[in-house]
Amino acid sequence: MTAPGGAAGQAKPVVDIRSLSLTFQTDDKPVIALDRIDLRIDSGDFVSLIGPSGCGKTTLLRVIADLERPTGGTALIDGMSPEEARLKRIYGYVFQAPALQPWRTVERNVTLPLEIFGIDKAERKRRADEQLALVGLTGFEGKYPWQLSGGMQQRVSIARALSFSPELLLMDEPFGALDEITRDHLNLQLTELWRRTGKTCVFVTHSISEAVFLSTRIVVMSPRPGRVLDVIESDLPRERTLEIRETVQFQEIAARVRRGLKAGHSYDE
Amino acid sequence: MNRAVPIAAVAVFFLVLWYAGAVALNAPEIIDLWTRNGTPWTTSDLVQAAWNMDRAVLPTPHQIVADLYHTIFDYPIIDVRNRNLLYHVGITASSTVVGFAIGLVVGVALAVGIVHMRTLESSIMPWVIMSQTIPILAIAPMVVVILGNMGFTGVFPKAMISAYLSFFPITIGLVKGLRSADPLALDLMRTYSATPAQLFWRLRLPTAMPFLFTSLKVAVAISLVGAIVAELPTGGVAGLGARLLTGSYYGQTVQIWSALVAAAVLSLILVGGVGLAQRIVVGRSGGPA
């Protein structure tokens, strides 16, 4: 992956995962969620993890975020253990649901992490305004989450994840619960946001077109046990519009993702 | 307006039932008296007499209203013979509120302890539940008499009974509330490496607020019941419990009913007060009620 914009060839990867395994102990038998995963993500990359339900893509993201502990192998985030990385607030996490606090306004939801980090009020306000502008929600500061649509709520949660300027943005099917039209719109906003901020993004999805549209690299995973089947480098330009999905280049990448999923028996019953 | 009609219809239904019941329950005694005295009477006489009988088995609403008016407005609040009903309401209200406040402090402390320490849950929780299986009528006289012997009289022994009853729903409700935070919301706080204190103040407690206020409404109502029950063994000195007791001693059924109405109104005011507090607290922290 050679990213135009200076990030290419950097020695230290943002995420460096080697032979990572995770086995859950359940009552009847152990479940291998991740089986010897190797993954390297460089600064400025947009990496999608794609696979059917139960392939461990969310688990892998949670390991990076130190929400799960691996049972084997190593994961280095910015050269640190996931726990150190979490304590140093290197990443922002966007969940499947917006997880906004209903008793807080939009602005105070965005500033929640800043309050926890002890940042003063004036600075909190400034950053909230900045991030809400970035996700196109200026003017909604005083609203409560229940007054917003699902797509707007998820944009608030992205603004919240970006509010403390993390190096790495981890997203777990953030648009999974939204309708396709809203999803297209948010994908477009997200790719613009990524291009403008230069953040490293790891994005979990089970939508092929979403993965191809957003990513510079697509990691295809298979279920039971969770393994990496294929890593596809995308040669689409970094600047993307929805029309790019009609191009042959896009279709070819999508076809390769689909082949990868098929090889992993993702379409079997 | 649409809500007023069905409510009024139910009220009318109960009033009719009440007046009919007063005739049915009070008439036999009157007929008995008139037959013995040889007084001639008509049905209309009987109904009139049944609705206005002294020491009736079932007094009528207008008798109760008249008694309420009389006992509230015809005596000074500070009266040598404690004849003003509001004085008794005040006595009961004060031990209810003090007991509720103690119950709130104890209930919240227990809930916070139980949620944060596993050992507390296994050691304290069974006692908390067992404490509520003992009938309050059995324990209240003992507590009041024992505390009285130790020199504690007045509000304090009664407040203890109220506290004993009211801490329970607060503890149970708040434990449930503090544990009801969404797993996703907890994960989010973990990604911020929030401290236990931050987790408590910024997530667990706000999440628990609706549970807490529901419990507080139950707690304040049974706190009143506790105060009234605790007034019974004191020998009818003061308070709504005392009014109930002296009423039944002297067959003053109207006085009993007046005390019941006063207790119901007091209960409504207390529960309403908790509702108001909820609106202020939730309003301040934002979000839908």
Side-chain angles (χ1 to χ4, degrees):
Chain A
M1 174 70 224
T2 50
Q10 195 175 310
K12 203 173 68 174
V14 178
V15 176
D16 191 2
I17 285 170
R18 288 184 193 181
S19 191
L20 189 94
S21 297
L22 197 155
T23 307
F24 287 115
Q25 294 300 332
T26 59
D27 289 340
D28 45 345
K29 59 174 197 290
V31 172
I32 303 166
L34 298 173
D35 186 27
R36 285 161 290 156
I37 303 273
D38 290 297
L39 181 65
R40 181 192 156 106
I41 298 170
D42 289 317
S43 181
D45 268 2
F46 194 117
V47 174
S48 282
L49 309 177
I50 189 168
S53 303
C55 73
K57 54 195 191 301
T58 293
T59 308
L60 182 56
L61 199 69
R62 289 174 64 87
V63 168
I64 296 172
D66 190 38
L67 295 173
E68 304 283 354
R69 292 276 156 89
T71 47
T74 57
L76 288 179
I77 317 301
D78 226 11
M80 292 174 280
S81 74
E83 187 181 5
E84 285 171 312
R86 170 170 64 81
L87 291 169
K88 286 214 165 153
R89 287 140 192 178
I90 278 178
Y91 69 83
Y93 202 107
V94 179
F95 292 90
Q96 287 175 5
L100 302 176
Q101 297 192 335
W103 57 86
R104 282 173 177 257
T105 59
V106 164
E107 180 180 324
R108 295 200 56 235
N109 264 292
V110 174
T111 58
L112 173 70
L114 306 177
E115 275 178 40
I116 289 170
F117 303 162
I119 288 162
D120 71 74
K121 201 171 175 180
E123 176 66 10
R124 290 206 300 261
K125 169 97 181 99
R126 193 190 66 75
R127 292 215 210 164
D129 288 347
E130 185 185 278
Q131 295 308 327
L132 284 170
L134 207 57
V135 296
L137 283 175
T138 301
F140 289 89
E141 295 85 354
K143 298 275 188 217
Y144 285 97
W146 49 275
Q147 295 172 303
L148 267 54
S149 70
M152 287 161 111
Q153 289 185 15
Q154 200 53 282
R155 270 143 73 193
V156 175
S157 95
I158 292 170
R160 179 180 59 190
L162 290 171
S163 66
F164 52 99
S165 308
E167 220 185 302
L168 179 64
L169 192 57
L170 306 175
M171 284 173 281
D172 183 7
E173 292 183 43
F175 310 137
L178 304 174
D179 63 87
E180 202 177 340
I181 298 164
T182 311
R183 201 173 179 154
D184 280 352
H185 179 62
L186 290 184
N187 280 337
L188 198 59
Q189 273 200 329
L190 180 60
T191 191
E192 275 166 18
L193 197 134
W194 163 70
R195 200 163 39 81
R196 258 189 288 165
T197 58
K199 302 270 183 224
T200 311
C201 295
V202 187
F203 189 92
V204 167
T205 181
H206 48 224
S207 158
I208 296 172
S209 86
E210 190 172 61
V212 178
F213 179 72
L214 292 169
S215 314
T216 58
R217 200 194 303 160
I218 301 155
V219 178
V220 181
M221 295 180 71
S222 76
R224 285 172 291 272
R227 283 203 180 111
V228 173
L229 288 176
D230 195 6
V231 177
I232 301 157
E233 304 283 343
S234 169
D235 46 7
L236 293 171
R238 284 174 94 87
E239 200 166 326
R240 295 171 191 188
T241 59
L242 289 175
E243 289 68 39
I244 206 170
R245 296 184 299 186
E246 319 300 332
T247 63
V248 177
Q249 228 178 339
F250 186 99
Q251 300 295 340
E252 276 171 0
I253 298 167
R256 195 175 150 194
V257 173
R258 199 168 287 114
R259 274 199 302 277
L261 289 169
K262 209 165 198 168
H265 303 286
S266 296
Y267 295 111
D268 296 357
E269 270 306 308
Chain B
M1 196 59 209
N2 287 345
R3 270 175 59 190
V5 174
I7 290 173
V10 172
V12 168
F13 172 76
F14 277 111
L15 277 177
V16 169
L17 200 68
W18 194 332
Y19 276 101
V23 173
L25 289 166
N26 300 339
E29 209 177 307
I30 296 165
I31 294 170
D32 202 36
L33 181 74
W34 284 346
T35 314
R36 258 187 283 139
N37 295 351
T39 320
W41 55 275
T42 62
T43 311
S44 148
D45 289 338
L46 183 67
V47 169
Q48 284 298 319
W51 283 352
N52 296 292
M53 191 184 171
D54 271 347
R55 303 185 182 195
V57 178
L58 180 62
T60 48
H62 70 261
Q63 284 179 296
I64 297 163
V65 170
D67 185 66
L68 281 170
Y69 186 88
H70 171 64
T71 51
I72 289 172
F73 294 107
D74 291 352
Y75 302 110
I77 297 231
I78 304 301
D79 178 44
V80 272
R81 287 167 59 198
N82 297 342
R83 284 169 299 187
N84 192 309
L85 186 63
L86 285 184
Y87 166 77
H88 296 280
V89 171
I91 293 288
T92 304
S94 58
S95 45
T96 302
V97 170
V98 172
F100 174 67
I102 298 169
L104 178 64
V105 171
V106 173
V108 169
L110 276 175
V112 172
I114 285 167
V115 167
H116 284 90
M117 278 175 278
R118 281 249 164 260
T119 47
L120 265 187
E121 170 156 37
S122 47
S123 58
I124 299 263
M125 208 54 171
W127 290 102
V128 168
I129 291 163
M130 214 189 302
S131 73
Q132 304 300 308
T133 63
I134 303 163
I136 192 65
L137 270 173
I139 210 167
M142 290 195 303
V143 171
V144 172
V145 168
I146 291 169
L147 285 175
N149 274 339
M150 290 164 69
F152 294 108
T153 51
V155 168
F156 181 70
K158 294 191 285 175
M160 288 312 290
I161 301 298
S162 290
Y164 182 87
L165 284 182
S166 63
F167 89 92
F168 181 72
I170 297 172
T171 299
I172 299 293
L174 192 54
V175 164
K176 172 81 182 150
L178 290 174
R179 287 196 174 143
S180 66
D182 186 40
L184 218 55
L186 288 166
D187 276 346
L188 182 73
M189 294 303 265
R190 186 171 154 82
T191 68
Y192 301 148
S193 309
T195 64
Q198 288 170 331
L199 188 63
F200 181 82
W201 291 107
R202 293 205 158 75
L203 179 62
R204 288 196 189 278
L205 193 63
T207 310
M209 277 302 166
F211 293 84
L212 178 64
F213 276 102
T214 306
S215 297
L216 289 183
K217 283 176 191 166
V218 177
V220 81
I222 61 167
S223 189
L224 175 63
V225 172
I228 290 173
V229 168
E231 279 160 357
L232 296 176
T234 55
V237 181
L240 289 174
R243 291 288 278 192
L244 292 173
L245 198 68
T246 53
S248 67
Y249 275 166
Y250 302 113
Q252 293 290 348
T253 46
V254 177
Q255 184 185 318
I256 297 176
W257 281 90
S258 297
L260 288 181
V261 171
V265 171
L266 178 57
S267 186
L268 279 177
I269 292 170
L270 291 169
V271 173
V274 172
L276 193 69
Q278 175 171 22
R279 226 180 294 164
I280 292 167
V281 170
V282 174
R284 187 170 295 159
S285 57

